């Protein structure tokens, strides 16, 4: 089972100017920063989709039961996670805390392979910032593609095939630098949707720092 369609992608670079205050705010509320970014991503998707329920699938360690806790190895599997954002009462801080509580207590469900074409797939990559034996891990964007002189990359007139209706990569590329890449199917989410998502993510990120009790949904989003 897979999604078949053409689409496009967009990238968001989070630089130290916004990451540093967001980290301070997340630490104040005792929420891991990667969970904070995931919650803001889901809020931005919910605002762009104008929906109260946002569902996604992500990789998690397989430590759901007592028997699994005693196993040794690199175990990981897909898990389904949902976030409910009320049109009238859902706030930025409330959504972040809600998702943090759900992840902390493993309130996710087993992935249903039959629903893969319609799922929002999210992959997260956390950078190991501490040096190990004189070596330090670098993000893929620090060396991918190499140096290219007199090269001007451009986008063609046709859209490429995409693997999911919507998928995202949340990646740490430096101590205070993060990258969010999102790919969507154009049949369900045209470029106007992406503009709404990007603007929503910017507004919600600033709101998390300056006005955490502001509502996620705009008044015009309420059905």
């Amino acid at each position: 089972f897979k999604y078949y369609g053409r689409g496009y992608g967009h990238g968001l670079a989070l630089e130290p100017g916004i990451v540093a205050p967001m980290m301070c705010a997340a630490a104040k509320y005792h929420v891991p920063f990667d969970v904070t970014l995931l919650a803001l991503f889901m809020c931005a998707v919910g605002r762009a989709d104008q929906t109260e329920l946002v569902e996604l699938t992500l990789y998690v360690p397989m430590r759901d039961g007592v028997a699994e806790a005693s196993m040794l190895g690199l175990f990981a599997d897909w898990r389904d996670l949902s976030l409910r954002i009320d049109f009238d009462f859902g706030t930025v801080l409330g959504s972040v805390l809600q998702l943090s509580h759900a992840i902390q207590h493993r309130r996710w469900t087993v992935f249903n392979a039959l629903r893969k074409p319609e799922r929002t797939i999210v992959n997260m990559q956390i950078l190991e910032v501490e040096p190990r034996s004189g070596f330090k891990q670098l993000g893929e964007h620090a060396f991918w593609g190499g140096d290219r002189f007199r090269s001007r990359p451009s986008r063609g007139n046709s859209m490429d095939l995409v693997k999911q209706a919507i998928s995202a990569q949340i990646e740490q590329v430096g101590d205070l630098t993060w990258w969010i890449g999102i790919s969507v199917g154009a049949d369900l989410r045209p470029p106007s949707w992406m503009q709404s998502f990007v603007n929503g993510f910017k507004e919600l990120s600033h709101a998390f720092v300056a006005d955490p009790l502001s509502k996620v949904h705009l008044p015009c989003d309420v059905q």
Side-chain angles (χ1 to χ4, degrees), residues 33-206:
F33 186 67
D34 55 339
V35 176
T36 300
L37 284 183
L38 183 62
L40 294 176
F41 169 83
M42 296 179 73
C43 288
V45 171
R47 177 187 285 192
D49 283 344
Q50 298 183 11
T51 181
E52 290 185 310
L53 181 63
V54 180
E55 297 178 309
L56 57 79
T57 299
L58 71 161
Y59 285 104
V60 299
M62 286 199 332
R63 295 291 186 270
D64 294 337
V66 178
E68 287 79 4
S70 61
M71 298 173 62
L72 297 177
L74 298 176
F75 299 102
D77 201 356
W78 286 355
R79 291 292 185 268
D80 291 341
L81 190 64
S82 63
L83 177 66
R84 183 166 292 278
I85 310 169
D86 190 89
F87 279 130
D88 298 319
F89 305 106
T91 64
V92 177
L93 178 58
S95 300
V96 172
L97 294 178
Q98 180 188 163
L99 184 67
S100 177
H101 184 269
I103 293 179
Q104 182 181 2
H105 295 277
R106 304 171 186 265
R107 292 185 175 176
W108 46 57
T109 57
V110 177
F111 171 67
N112 183 357
L114 296 178
R115 296 186 59 193
K116 182 182 182 299
E118 62 192 63
R119 299 298 297 177
T120 298
I121 305 295
V122 177
N123 185 37
M124 304 189 69
Q125 282 187 269
I126 311 300
L127 191 67
E128 179 58 65
V129 296
E130 295 294 332
R132 303 290 182 182
S133 301
F135 293 91
K136 186 175 182 179
Q137 182 183 0
L138 296 177
E140 180 183 5
H141 297 282
F143 58 86
W144 183 82
D147 294 328
R148 300 180 181 181
F149 299 99
R150 303 185 184 89
S151 176
R152 295 183 179 180
S154 60
R155 178 179 294 179
N157 295 326
S158 61
M159 294 184 178
D160 297 327
L161 293 174
V162 293
K163 298 180 180 179
Q164 292 292 136
I166 175 172
S167 61
Q169 174 94 359
I170 302 177
E171 181 180 355
Q172 183 182 10
V173 296
D175 295 348
L176 293 174
T177 307
W178 288 72
W179 172 269
I180 299 178
I182 180 172
S183 173
V184 298
D187 57 338
L188 300 176
R189 294 176 173 88
S192 58
W193 182 94
M194 185 63 73
Q195 292 178 346
S196 176
F197 166 80
V198 172
N199 292 332
F201 186 85
K202 291 179 180 178
E203 294 174 3
L204 294 168
S205 299
H206 285 89

